[in-house]
Amino acid sequence: MSKQRSRLVVLAGPTAVGKGTVAAAVRQDHPDVWISVSATTRPPRPGEENGVHYWFVSDAEFDKMIAEDNLLEWAVVHHSARYGTPRQPVELALASGRPAMLEIDLQGARQVRRTMPDALFVFLKPPSWEELVRRLVGRGTESAEERERRLVTAREELAAESEFDVTIVNHEVHAAAGELVALLKHSPTDL
Ligand code: 5GP
């Protein structure tokens, strides 16, 4: 019996809403779910590993991935580094029938919407704007200028909720991860 191709789930949402944390909870609690590892030109943060959190690549390597059409989507995020989804691993995961997910920014989600309209687009939303600001400041990994820039982006991104198929409110990380996994494990014909 041939395996049924799985349906891609694309998780997006405003900066600092906790997409990365929710994706990490899915990775930890549900190892059967395949999560794409993006390529990025930003340098690794302490504790980040090449091939686990991201593929950390040079500008020249990223240019080559674009030129060879190896990226499903890519974007410049926060006006700084480039981030993109390697195409082939996604294709392999979907063909194997594994629940498969991308955690990307809004610009990337819009590109995937054009090329893979059958994917399920999930918007992760903060409980409130105040909570989003608190999380952005609390993370403490960015400079004041960078935080300000990210808040401007976050306001625009929050307005995009209606473009998505489903919204999950990130009150608590494991609860949000559980809702996401329930969507990932629906068979394509159920949705
Ligand atoms: P960070 O630098 O904090 O890890 O991620 C910054 C932003 O880049 C997050 O909003 C994350 O969703 C986004 N991002 C990560 N990987 C990709 C990707 O492959 N494509 C796009 N378009 N955005 C990504």
Side-chain angles (χ1 to χ4, degrees), residues 54-190:
Y54 285 103
W55 296 106
F56 295 100
V57 300
S58 65
D59 269 314
E61 285 166 325
F62 205 94
D63 286 343
K64 189 161 177 273
M65 293 173 101
I66 297 171
E68 293 178 351
D69 200 24
N70 288 339
L71 296 177
L72 180 63
E73 60 74 37
W74 70 271
V76 177
V77 180
H78 306 307
H79 309 283
S80 50
R82 289 184 289 176
Y83 295 78
T85 304
R87 184 192 300 281
Q88 202 194 20
V90 176
E91 284 303 329
L92 291 173
L94 294 177
S96 77
R98 261 180 100 176
M101 151 182 154
L102 313 180
E103 181 260 291
I104 58 177
D105 90 319
L106 186 63
Q107 308 168 74
R110 286 178 175 144
Q111 291 173 45
V112 180
R113 163 82 80 195
R114 285 195 293 273
T115 54
M116 297 177 77
D118 292 342
L120 182 73
F121 293 84
V122 180
F123 190 78
L124 190 67
K125 189 176 154 174
S128 64
W129 172 252
E130 291 68 29
E131 179 58 22
L132 186 66
V133 173
R134 204 182 62 74
R135 288 180 193 176
L136 192 53
V137 173
R139 189 154 75 175
T141 47
E142 291 89 20
S143 66
E145 192 193 340
E146 178 61 21
R147 271 203 306 273
E148 195 48 48
R149 206 156 59 181
R150 289 188 177 212
L151 278 175
V152 172
T153 309
R155 263 212 189 281
E156 291 165 8
E157 288 174 337
L158 264 184
E161 182 184 351
S162 63
E163 296 172 31
F164 284 74
D165 301 313
V166 184
T167 294
I168 294 177
V169 181
N170 189 16
H171 291 289
E172 194 279 319
V173 57
H174 289 279
E179 284 184 51
L180 187 59
V181 168
L183 291 170
L184 276 153
K185 293 191 175 174
H186 261 288
S187 76
T189 45
D190 292 343

